[in-house]
Amino acid sequence: MTKQELCTLAIKSMNNAYSPYSGYKVGAALLCDNGKVFTGCNVENSSYGSTVCAERTAIFKAVSDGERDFSMLAVAGGKENELSDKFLPCGICRQVMAEFCKPEFTVLVVTGENTYKEFSLSELLPNAFSL
Ligand code: THU
């Protein structure tokens, strides 16, 4: 699984977004150390605070299937069917990543069909909270 392949899966997962309230679609693809991939999309709710982001959907799907060792996450977002080059993961998702992933964990943020920006988790969430 190349980085671009993981990004392409994240883009495809945008199609499953349930986002009638914001009109914003987000897709994520999470690569496990064992090679398995879990995808996720944002799932909104009329009680807005119940919305779950794409990144957390993918992470929670993986954890609930017994996977906790992750090597990379790709995420793509944008209004309706457009890919935004401004999208970045929200703070809650960064904190959830920090629960399971090392500071060096790679986050690929899609900027176009064949382009992405690469971040480490520690760049996205320096000095993460932990107990
Ligand atoms: N969203 C995500 O799925 N991931 C993020 O990191 C930021 C925001 C979703 C939540 C909501 O459905 C929509 O994007 C607009 O906030």
Side-chain angles (χ1 to χ4, degrees):
M1 173 72 51
T2 65
K3 289 177 179 176
Q4 182 55 53
E5 283 169 344
L6 200 65
C7 287
T8 301
L9 283 178
I11 295 168
K12 282 200 183 121
S13 299
M14 288 171 69
N15 292 324
N16 295 329
Y18 175 73
S19 51
Y21 304 105
S22 73
Y24 204 86
K25 295 184 181 214
V26 185
L30 177 66
L31 178 65
C32 302
D33 287 352
N34 63 11
K36 285 189 195 168
V37 176
F38 290 83
T39 58
C41 63
N42 53 330
V43 183
E44 297 189 346
N45 192 278
S46 58
S47 176
Y48 297 164
S50 306
T51 293
V52 181
C53 292
E55 300 92 315
R56 277 177 288 146
T57 301
I59 293 168
F60 293 158
K61 278 171 69 178
V63 172
S64 65
D65 262 12
E67 305 297 340
R68 292 185 190 171
D69 299 319
F70 308 131
S71 48
M72 216 173 351
L73 176 89
V75 63
K79 262 282 190 207
E80 303 301 345
N81 290 321
E82 279 177 27
L83 266 179
S84 170
D85 58 1
K86 307 267 181 318
F87 175 84
L88 282 164
C90 83
I92 296 177
C93 290
R94 296 178 195 200
Q95 180 64 34
V96 169
M97 289 176 214
E99 183 70 26
F100 296 101
C101 309
K102 295 191 175 71
E104 309 78 51
F105 178 71
T106 298
V107 180
L108 307 173
V109 179
V110 172
T111 52
E113 291 292 336
N114 294 299
T115 55
Y116 56 84
K117 284 188 280 197
E118 189 167 335
F119 297 92
S120 65
L121 178 55
S122 64
E123 286 179 293
L124 293 176
L125 187 64
N127 306 308
F129 172 80
S130 68
L131 289 174

